[in-house]
Amino acid sequence: MSIRRAAGVSLARLSIRLYLHQYPARHPHAPALLRPVHIEQNTSTSAEPLGTLLSRGAIDALIGSRKPDELGRHPDVARLFPDYRLLERELYQRSKIFPIMHLIAMRRDLYERQRWIAESLYNAFVESKRRARSRMRYAGSLSAMLPWLIDDVEEIDDVFGGDAFPYGIEANRATLQALVAYMVEQHFIARPIPIEDLFVPLSGAIGT
């Protein structure tokens, strides 16, 4: 859920610093927004990492895929939502929105020449996930060094019906529609794009 909808934070009131994995660098994938927002590109390699800036109060918060080293080590650095797992579970149960991990893309010219590749690639990922989930569920020897892995698997069954990261449009429609709405709201795109226009048709794809 966007920070504007969740906490009433206006994007126009934010001063944003773009870092790559919390360290100073020009982000290679940051597109220009349709409406101006104060975004500071960090090009100096001598600048401080985000965790350091957060710990001394130079920034108010950070959002990233990796937690800063200061979390758990510095008294002034803490999670904004300490009970995030419960909140994420409640959000999914209420809205059926859960963050998608990654998106697989291919060149359009390649797809136009060899359309079978898209379906074969999709089916390969489905089979790969099926094998990974089967291995994860085997209790004879745990697939990861997580002492309560089987309990986590049972929670996934209870909340997500066994698959927290399903493939395909229909299984992800609520999340995809929210993503498009947020991109309009945050000025990444000018108008909503129909979900079906974002993906190639896969008429013979196997189930997730």
Side-chain angles (χ1 to χ4, degrees):
M1 180 170 288
S2 70
I3 57 174
R4 186 190 72 82
R5 299 191 185 193
V9 177
S10 171
L11 188 65
R13 298 176 59 188
L14 297 180
S15 178
I16 301 173
R17 297 191 183 191
L18 295 182
Y19 275 50
L20 187 60
H21 302 315
Q22 300 181 30
Y23 292 92
R26 178 170 291 277
H27 200 293
H29 308 301
L33 299 181
L34 301 178
R35 183 179 299 178
V37 175
H38 182 202
I39 298 178
E40 176 186 329
Q41 288 275 7
N42 294 275
T43 58
S44 172
T45 56
S46 63
E48 297 173 292
L50 287 175
T52 302
L53 296 176
L54 184 65
S55 66
R56 65 180 179 82
I59 60 174
D60 297 317
L62 70 84
I63 301 175
S65 59
R66 306 176 186 181
K67 67 179 183 179
D69 295 337
E70 288 76 8
L71 183 63
R73 301 179 181 178
H74 194 285
D76 295 328
V77 176
R79 294 185 185 276
L80 183 60
F81 302 103
D83 52 349
Y84 65 93
R85 181 162 176 162
L86 175 61
L87 293 175
E88 290 175 358
R89 176 175 176 148
E90 291 176 345
L91 173 64
Y92 177 78
Q93 291 174 324
R94 184 171 66 253
S95 66
K96 299 305 178 186
I97 294 175
F98 193 75
I100 296 173
M101 287 296 291
H102 291 84
L103 179 70
I104 305 300
M106 63 186 298
R107 290 180 58 89
R108 181 174 294 278
D109 59 348
L110 175 61
Y111 170 72
E112 294 295 342
R113 294 196 309 269
Q114 306 285 351
R115 296 200 170 198
W116 61 269
I117 294 178
E119 191 169 298
S120 294
L121 184 63
Y122 176 87
N123 289 340
F125 274 101
V126 169
E127 174 61 17
S128 176
K129 186 173 69 168
R130 185 194 67 78
R131 297 185 185 188
R133 291 175 60 197
S134 177
R135 176 68 185 91
M136 182 177 66
R137 290 171 177 278
Y138 179 66
S141 59
L142 298 181
S143 60
M145 292 187 292
L146 299 173
W148 296 286
L149 174 61
I150 301 304
D151 183 63
D152 288 336
V153 169
E154 291 173 354
E155 182 179 14
I156 292 173
D157 289 342
D158 178 54
V159 177
F160 300 100
D163 190 356
F165 304 107
Y167 296 155
I169 291 178
E170 287 308 318
N172 292 285
R173 185 172 292 277
T175 302
L176 292 169
Q177 288 176 333
L179 172 63
V180 171
Y182 297 162
M183 292 187 73
V184 174
E185 184 179 283
Q186 297 174 19
H187 316 302
F188 282 96
I189 56 178
R191 62 187 62 85
I193 301 173
I195 302 302
E196 283 75 13
D197 291 353
L198 300 173
F199 300 94
V200 300
L202 298 173
S203 57
I206 61 178
T208 62

